[in-house]
Amino acid sequence: MGESATSRDFIRMIIDEDLRTGKNDGRVMTRFPPEPNGYLHIGHAKSICLNFGIARDYAGLCNLRFDDTNPAKEDVEYVDAIKEDVHWLGFDWGDREYFASDYFERLYAFAVQLIRQGNAYVDSLTPEEIREHRGTLTEPGRESPYRERSMEENLDLFERMRNGEFEDGAHVLRAKIDMTSGNINMRDPTIYRIRRLDHHRTGNKWFIYPMYDFAHALSDMIEGITHSVCTLEFEDHRPLYDWFLDTLRTPCHPQQIEFARLNLSYTVMSKRKLLQLVEEGFVRGWDDPRMPTISGLRRRGYTPEAIRDFCDRIGVAKKESLVDVALLEHCLREDLNRRAPRFMAVLNPLKVVLLNYPEDQVEMLDAINNPEDPSAGTRKVPFSRVLYIEQEDFRENPPKQFFRLSPGREVRLRYGYLITCVDVVKDKTTGEVTELRCTYDPATRGGDTPDGRRVKGTLHWVSAPHALEAEVRMYERLLTVEDPSEETAGRSFKDFLSPESLKVLTHCRVEPGLADAVPGTRCQFERMGYFCVDPDSAPGKPVFNRTVTLRDTWAKIEKSLTREGTRN
RNA sequence: UGGGGCGUCGUCAAGCGGUAAGACACAGGUCUUUGGAACCUGCAUUCGGAGGUUCGAAUCCUCCCGCCCCAGCCA
């Protein structure tokens, strides 16, 4: 059962009640029903965690079912990607991998039954005429002149639709319900349309394809789903869902329950918009590390554990909400902090020469792999006379509260020595600082101070002759506004794309120990953040993606300092 | 002017007639060889609003206000 500490969501409360009253013989069965027309994103992860989580908590089962009723939009590329993503997230559907298209023959038979019962008819109005007959939100619709066709004629026409005798749009099969209903979904909804198109699974076998409402309700029923969880926008489809099952007097009747889909700040989530980002080249593909897709998050370095934790924490309710992306990042950091091995990497190198360090000496110093996990052990890091430190760790004129390196000041090199800056070398023409001359204190090997003196700053570094050159891709949020759905006055989300969402650093220097890291490897670069080896890496030439920064107290201080400065 | 939903802290979210959990964010502090992590403290006299019922209401009733979804032969 679910955790006692966290209260249960309204869906689990419904299931508790169903179990208490003995509904469904105590069986709990859910399904995750993606349409294979795009890649899964973090919003789908919420649904996946919900559906598979319910099955796990109630000792039930969750099926994976592809809702592949529209061959115009679907593709096997997507079904493969979806399977990979669900597995990667940590869920397993066993052998229960289903496709709505597997049920086409049975769905057809159900449609015939509706015709025989007088509950469906073939309509030969044009799409435009159907729209005109539908009425509006405030005015009732009008019945189609074809509504009272005889059962024989309907049967004949429907069979000929199946046989491919008509062009697209010539006829549709409609449920005969109520053209005056306040719920537009009940105004004789279309249940089959002609599509002379090959389907990615059934090939050229079918000329007609069922619509979502019909196929979904019956697929749920066929699989014996007990609780059919979907998002809010299907709320007013529920009467139709129930109508199909009631009218066809099916042996079981799943219960549709709707919850609010996930919205994340600074993120677009609709498949349509994500597709646009991909197709119009704003990102490099569905798995671009800036994308909120599962494959993008994976490539970025997210862990499935962090995503699952996030989904647990956001809860499930019917209120439409905008979740702060900071929560997702928090979950990630919490997970990575525990498990990511630490390394030193200098992203923007600044050369440091230790004047009093022997010319040819190299020492192998001990470094802790993960302070959160003693079992991770230690490693050796080479130290020599010429080093690199981070450019931002030196300031010629340090602002107050800056306690990193500056002329005359002493800092610690992590696991190394205490050094003091004695000279600054600059480029004569640009004035840019190109090198620092420092002295080191031989008594402070490892970073200890035998005399007990305190140094406020500890910097990461890398030995110049030993360092490995690497490319690091720095990501920022893709969008500049919290809620890109607030498209005002003809502005689209594309107007809010951040020009700084990707910055590539090509001459970074990392510890030599990272030379053999394989793609997907996650680590922390001390003081800089968490990073993940990208598939674009070549042997000896690694490429890293910045997964997420560390919490940066200094950045906040500096920000408030500049605010103060501009105010004065 | 139709139908269906939703309104509790900046953001999520518990609460189900007995006197507002928790998380993130934010602000302070302790500690620290990552300005990381960890730890401590603070953060809704009030639940969209107004009436009403009750000894007692975020929870029940009435009215009002606001927001979201629906007029695909998409899902």
Side-chain angles (χ1 to χ4, degrees):
Chain A
M1 280 304 138
E3 254 128 80
S4 54
T6 57
S7 56
R8 39 193 66 219
D9 57 74
F10 79 99
I11 296 176
R12 278 176 238 251
M13 292 199 310
I14 290 169
I15 296 173
D16 287 343
E17 180 63 11
D18 289 345
L19 255 24
R20 201 184 61 74
T21 59
K23 193 174 170 185
N24 303 312
D25 306 316
R27 213 166 44 84
V28 174
M29 185 114 190
T30 56
R31 103 268 92 116
F32 173 62
E35 182 189 11
N37 68 342
Y39 280 61
L40 262 25
H41 54 60
I42 182 82
H44 292 108
K46 177 181 182 182
S47 174
I48 291 166
C49 290
L50 217 208
N51 280 296
F52 281 93
I54 286 170
R56 179 234 302 132
D57 293 350
Y58 291 92
L61 293 170
C62 179
N63 296 346
L64 174 63
R65 180 173 72 235
F66 291 93
D67 228 325
D68 56 348
T69 56
N70 185 357
K73 294 185 174 177
E74 297 151 8
D75 195 281
V76 272
E77 174 198 351
Y78 299 123
V79 345
D80 293 340
I82 287 167
K83 290 197 284 187
E84 181 185 359
D85 290 347
V86 177
H87 266 144
W88 179 79
L89 274 173
F91 297 101
D92 186 48
W93 54 93
D95 60 353
R96 298 177 320 286
E97 177 176 311
Y98 302 126
F99 292 80
S101 55
D102 290 341
Y103 310 139
F104 280 174
E105 200 59 57
R106 296 169 75 177
L107 296 177
Y108 180 84
F110 280 120
V112 169
Q113 184 186 335
L114 283 179
I115 294 171
R116 289 189 191 285
Q117 289 178 187
N119 296 120
Y121 62 97
V122 171
D123 195 0
S124 308
L125 255 21
T126 66
E128 297 70 44
E129 289 168 329
I130 287 181
R131 193 182 338 113
E132 284 159 16
H133 279 71
R134 189 153 31 228
T136 69
L137 294 179
T138 51
E139 299 156 20
R142 284 148 36 225
E143 296 184 352
S144 163
Y146 301 100
R147 201 174 195 259
E148 299 306 328
R149 283 218 250 238
S150 71
M151 192 229 289
E152 291 69 28
E153 191 181 0
N154 281 320
L155 249 19
D156 174 63
L157 250 15
F158 189 48
E159 188 177 343
R160 289 164 60 196
M161 281 167 67
R162 173 183 182 154
N163 293 339
E165 293 184 28
F166 308 112
E167 294 305 309
D168 286 12
H171 309 280
V172 290
L173 185 69
R174 292 229 255 168
K176 189 191 280 189
I177 307 180
D178 177 9
M179 290 305 292
T180 67
S181 174
N183 181 348
I184 290 176
N185 294 299
M186 301 299 271
R187 318 237 265 229
D188 290 9
T190 301
I191 59 185
Y192 265 93
R193 77 291 214 187
I194 299 169
R195 279 275 179 285
R196 305 177 63 89
L197 234 45
D198 279 4
H199 183 279
H200 66 97
R201 298 203 94 226
T202 60
N204 60 8
K205 185 174 178 202
W206 292 88
F207 293 97
I208 56 172
Y209 294 93
M211 299 285 287
Y212 163 83
D213 291 294
F214 181 73
H216 200 85
L218 290 165
S219 298
D220 282 347
M221 184 280 294
I222 287 168
E223 293 175 21
I225 301 303
T226 57
H227 301 272
S228 179
V229 178
C230 65
T231 44
L232 249 30
E233 68 270 28
F234 294 103
E235 210 146 16
D236 28 78
H237 291 238
R238 191 176 37 194
L240 181 55
Y241 184 100
D242 290 331
W243 185 90
F244 284 126
L245 299 177
D246 289 338
T247 304
L248 288 164
R249 295 183 293 274
T250 56
C252 78
H253 190 138
Q255 177 181 3
Q256 177 179 305
I257 306 172
E258 312 85 12
F259 72 99
R261 62 166 4 117
L262 170 68
N263 294 299
L264 249 196
S265 61
Y266 299 101
T267 309
V268 287
M269 204 72 95
S270 84
K271 277 195 212 170
R272 198 195 100 244
K273 290 176 182 171
L274 295 177
L275 213 210
Q276 228 175 320
L277 290 175
V278 172
E279 288 190 333
E280 296 174 22
F282 294 104
V283 295
R284 297 197 202 177
W286 285 99
D287 71 342
D288 186 296
R290 292 166 290 183
M291 293 281 274
T293 50
I294 303 301
S295 53
L297 295 169
R298 176 168 59 233
R299 186 165 179 182
R300 175 82 169 246
Y302 272 74
T303 63
E305 289 81 358
I307 293 171
R308 279 189 252 126
D309 182 35
F310 171 74
C311 291
D312 284 345
R313 293 201 203 202
I314 56 177
V316 178
K318 297 193 73 158
K319 185 174 73 172
E320 295 191 59
S321 59
L322 183 64
V323 177
D324 193 341
V325 72
L327 179 60
L328 212 211
E329 294 176 344
H330 168 81
C331 294
L332 216 214
R333 289 193 185 101
E334 197 172 79
D335 187 31
L336 257 16
N337 176 50
R338 273 193 304 257
R339 36 205 290 216
R342 266 122 249 228
F343 290 92
M344 291 195 284
V346 175
L347 273 22
N348 294 294
L350 174 59
K351 190 174 175 185
V352 171
V353 179
L354 302 179
L355 301 175
N356 60 337
Y357 194 88
E359 197 84 47
D360 298 316
Q361 181 170 309
V362 175
E363 292 177 87
M364 296 305 286
L365 302 171
D366 290 308
I368 293 167
N369 286 332
N370 185 347
E372 303 296 317
D373 177 14
S375 74
T378 61
R379 68 185 184 286
K380 296 286 188 186
V381 181
F383 186 91
S384 68
R385 188 170 195 265
V386 183
L387 312 166
Y388 288 115
I389 65 167
E390 208 67 61
Q391 283 172 21
E392 64 179 29
D393 283 340
F394 174 79
R395 285 286 186 70
E396 195 168 15
N397 300 298
K400 54 183 176 183
Q401 293 186 71
F402 180 89
F403 44 79
R404 276 113 97 142
L405 198 58
S406 59
R409 196 181 280 180
E410 182 178 56
V411 297
R412 170 168 34 235
L413 294 182
R414 173 149 242 226
Y415 304 127
Y417 290 91
L418 268 58
I419 63 169
T420 302
C421 177
V422 297
D423 196 14
V424 180
V425 181
K426 296 180 190 176
D427 183 291
K428 283 190 193 72
T429 52
T430 65
E432 182 196 357
V433 176
T434 55
E435 183 181 318
L436 263 25
R437 304 272 166 84
C438 300
T439 57
Y440 87 108
D441 178 353
T444 57
R445 189 178 202 265
D448 299 312
T449 52
D451 61 353
R453 71 179 187 275
R454 325 267 293 180
V455 262
K456 293 211 83 175
T458 297
L459 312 185
H460 62 276
W461 53 274
V462 108
S463 166
H466 301 91
L468 177 70
E469 195 168 282
E471 175 180 323
V472 178
R473 297 173 183 169
M474 307 286 273
Y475 300 102
E476 303 276 349
R477 47 179 59 122
L478 230 199
L479 294 144
T480 57
V481 293
E482 254 205 317
D483 187 357
S485 73
E486 284 182 348
E487 294 167 14
T488 44
R491 302 236 276 168
S492 93
F493 74 100
K494 287 188 282 184
D495 296 320
F496 303 120
L497 287 171
S498 169
E500 286 163 11
S501 62
L502 168 63
K503 197 176 294 170
V504 180
L505 269 24
T506 49
H507 298 292
C508 309
R509 300 297 209 289
V510 305
E511 273 184 43
L514 253 5
D516 306 317
V518 299
T521 302
R522 304 181 190 93
C523 61
Q524 182 193 103
F525 289 164
E526 295 217 23
R527 306 207 305 135
M528 302 309 288
Y530 296 97
F531 294 78
C532 180
V533 180
D534 191 84
D536 288 347
S537 298
K541 187 72 171 56
V543 176
F544 294 91
N545 294 311
R546 182 171 70 190
T547 308
V548 67
T549 60
L550 254 23
R551 262 190 69 225
D552 192 345
T553 308
W554 166 243
K556 277 182 194 167
I557 294 171
E558 196 175 31
K559 204 171 163 190
S560 71
L561 282 176
T562 61
R563 257 205 306 273
E564 244 170 63
T566 51
R567 211 177 300 140
N568 293 341

